[in-house]
């Protein structure tokens, strides 16, 4: 019995091509910016880059789960903002960080379940369903502290507890690397395993590839869709805590536009917005490309408008490439019959 070469097996993994392309692009982009401005290669800049990239990676993981099912989640950024505001508001009221985090977690999971029911059971178009929950979550972010940003969390839980919270989620380091990065990497490993090695992961790919065929195979679209949206809500919850730790307070506009950052991280890394294709390794590469572009363009003095223009072109090109590849594959299969 002939065993497939391990390298060929890895390279044949669905979505691996897009991930490797993104990693190759990352190297080219990073080196190019480093040549223009050698400060890009400095140790401190690399550490800052990894910490900033972590938020995009987490939000990209959540959005990638949804994209692979063939759906989208527009509520991600607002849930992150809701997470930041609820946790900060509770802490300014003197609630210990642990129960504050648990309460915030439950609130975010409610949005995830609601998204799953709206899309998976009631079959609302995901764009409309999550547009609605996006406004709901942002509304909660505004209402929870009376339509104003919170005071510093230290004002409620004390300076020591406030610094402990901020250091854990943003400013502290472990083994010389910011904790934010470690949090993102641990969750990346967990969700990579769940997507690539479990039955739930297989079901996520199945409904993204062909929802009707998945139903006939016994896959519960409601349960699988809800699980994907729960992952998205959980990632948003963690990003919200990171944003709260970064600012040391709650900002009603925290997480604004993060839903698009999540799409960009996934799509740049080869996750198909048409569903059924992509791996989280690609999302990791996509988040790194996004942050390296943002960081590099900042370092060379490019205006914010130019930064958005460049990244927008790359995202559009990535989607176009996915459509071309899919159409080419379809035509090839048709010709082979």
């Amino acid at each position: 019995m002939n065993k497939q070469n391990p390298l060929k097996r890895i390279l044949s993994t669905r979505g691996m091509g897009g991930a490797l392309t993104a990693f190759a692009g990352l190297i080219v982009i990073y080196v190019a910016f480093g040549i223009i401005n050698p400060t890009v290669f400095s140790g401190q800049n690399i550490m800052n880059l990894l910490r900033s990239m972590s938020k995009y990676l987490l939000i990209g993981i959540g959005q990638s789960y949804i994209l692979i099912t063939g759906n989208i989640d527009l509520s991600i950024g607002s849930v992150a903002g809701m997470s930041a505001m609820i946790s900060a508001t509770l802490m300014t009221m003197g609630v210990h960080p642990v129960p504050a985090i648990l309460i915030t977690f439950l609130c975010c999971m409610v949005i995830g379940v609601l998204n799953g029911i709206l899309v998976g059971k009631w079959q609302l178009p995901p764009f409309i369903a999550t547009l609605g929950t996006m406004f709901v979550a942002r509304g909660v972010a505004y209402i929870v502290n009376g339509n104003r940003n919170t005071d510093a969390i230290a004002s409620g839980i004390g300076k020591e507890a406030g610094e402990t919270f901020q250091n854990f989620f943003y400013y502290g380091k472990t083994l010389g690397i910011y904790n934010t990065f470690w949090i993102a990497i641990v969750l990346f490993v967990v969700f990579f395993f769940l997507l690539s090695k479990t039955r739930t992961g297989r079901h996520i790919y199945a409904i993204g590839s062909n929802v009707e065929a998945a139903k006939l195979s016994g896959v519960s679209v409601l349960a699988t869709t809800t699980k994907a949206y729960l992952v998205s809500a959980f990632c948003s919850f963690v990003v919200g805590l990171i944003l709260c730790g970064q600012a040391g307070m709650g900002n009603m506009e925290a997480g604004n536009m993060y839903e698009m950052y999540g799409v960009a991280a996934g799509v740049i890394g080869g996750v198909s917005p048409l569903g059924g294709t992509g791996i989280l390794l690609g999302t990791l590469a996509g988040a790194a490309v996004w942050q390296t572009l943002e960081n590099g363009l900042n370092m060379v003095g490019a205006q914010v408008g130019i930064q958005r223009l460049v990244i927008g072109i790359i995202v559009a090109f990535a989607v176009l490439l996915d459509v071309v590849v899919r159409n080419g594959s379809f035509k090839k299969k048709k010709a082979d019959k």
Side-chain angles (χ1 to χ4, degrees):
M1 183 177 177
N2 292 326
K3 288 187 178 180
Q4 187 180 11
N5 184 292
L7 181 59
K8 287 185 178 180
R9 188 169 65 249
I10 293 172
L11 293 176
S12 64
T13 303
R14 55 187 168 187
M16 183 59 74
L20 294 177
T21 300
F23 275 117
L26 170 64
I27 293 170
V28 171
I29 292 167
Y30 184 68
V31 171
F33 280 127
I35 292 172
I36 297 171
N37 185 347
T39 308
V40 169
F41 294 137
S42 70
Q44 186 56 50
N45 185 62
I46 292 172
M47 290 298 104
N48 289 335
L49 194 153
L50 290 176
R51 180 171 60 176
S52 298
M53 181 199 80
S54 300
K55 292 178 290 185
Y56 297 148
L57 172 58
L58 287 169
I59 218 74
I61 289 170
Q63 193 69 271
S64 293
Y65 262 72
I66 304 303
L67 291 174
I68 292 171
T69 65
N71 298 309
I72 194 169
D73 188 356
L74 297 182
S75 69
I76 282 182
S78 294
V79 174
M82 185 180 78
S83 171
M85 280 299 295
I86 292 176
S87 58
T89 299
L90 289 171
M91 285 187 279
T92 56
M93 293 169 61
V95 178
H96 189 276
V98 173
I101 289 171
L102 290 175
I103 293 169
T104 303
F105 167 76
L106 292 174
C107 293
C108 292
M109 291 304 101
V110 168
I111 299 294
V113 171
L114 183 57
N115 280 333
I117 293 173
L118 291 174
V119 176
K121 183 177 182 179
W122 292 345
Q123 298 182 345
L124 267 65
F127 185 92
I128 301 301
T130 61
L131 181 65
T133 53
M134 177 185 80
F135 284 113
V136 168
R138 187 62 69 181
V140 172
Y142 272 80
I143 292 170
V144 70
N145 195 49
N147 289 298
R148 63 185 181 85
N149 296 333
T150 72
D151 296 326
I153 58 174
S155 65
I157 58 176
K159 183 178 179 181
E160 185 177 347
E163 287 181 351
T164 299
F165 177 87
Q166 288 188 267
N167 286 335
F168 181 83
F169 284 104
Y170 195 77
Y171 292 102
K173 290 182 179 181
T174 300
L175 300 177
I177 299 175
Y178 287 112
N179 291 337
T180 311
F181 179 74
W182 291 120
I183 292 170
I185 288 300
V186 168
L187 292 178
F188 168 79
V189 171
V190 170
F191 288 123
F192 180 88
F193 175 81
L194 290 176
L195 187 61
S196 60
K197 301 295 183 182
T198 67
R199 184 173 63 177
T200 296
R202 291 192 293 273
H203 289 178
I204 286 173
Y205 280 107
I207 66 173
S209 298
N210 189 320
V211 66
E212 294 304 322
K215 286 180 182 178
L216 293 173
S217 300
V219 175
S220 171
V221 175
L222 172 59
T224 303
T225 302
T226 302
K227 287 175 184 176
Y229 275 109
L230 282 172
V231 169
S232 178
F234 178 79
C235 290
S236 300
F237 153 71
V238 177
V239 170
L241 296 179
I242 290 171
L243 292 172
C244 179
Q246 179 180 1
M249 59 177 285
N251 186 322
M252 294 183 295
E253 295 299 326
N256 189 31
M257 288 295 293
Y258 271 47
E259 58 276 0
M260 296 299 104
Y261 299 164
V263 171
V267 169
I268 290 173
V271 176
S272 173
L274 302 178
T277 302
I279 56 175
L280 291 191
L281 195 62
T283 304
L284 172 62
V289 167
W290 174 282
Q291 184 55 44
T292 301
L293 275 170
E294 193 174 75
N295 178 263
L297 289 168
N298 252 332
M299 297 287 277
V300 299
Q303 296 178 348
V304 174
I306 298 297
Q307 295 177 28
R308 296 291 177 263
L309 178 65
V310 171
I311 294 171
I313 291 172
I314 290 175
V315 171
F317 177 77
V319 175
L320 177 62
L321 183 62
D322 175 61
V323 172
V324 169
V325 169
R326 280 185 175 238
N327 287 341
S329 299
F330 175 76
K331 289 176 182 177
K332 184 178 178 182
K333 287 177 182 177
K334 199 170 182 181
D336 288 343
K337 288 184 177 178

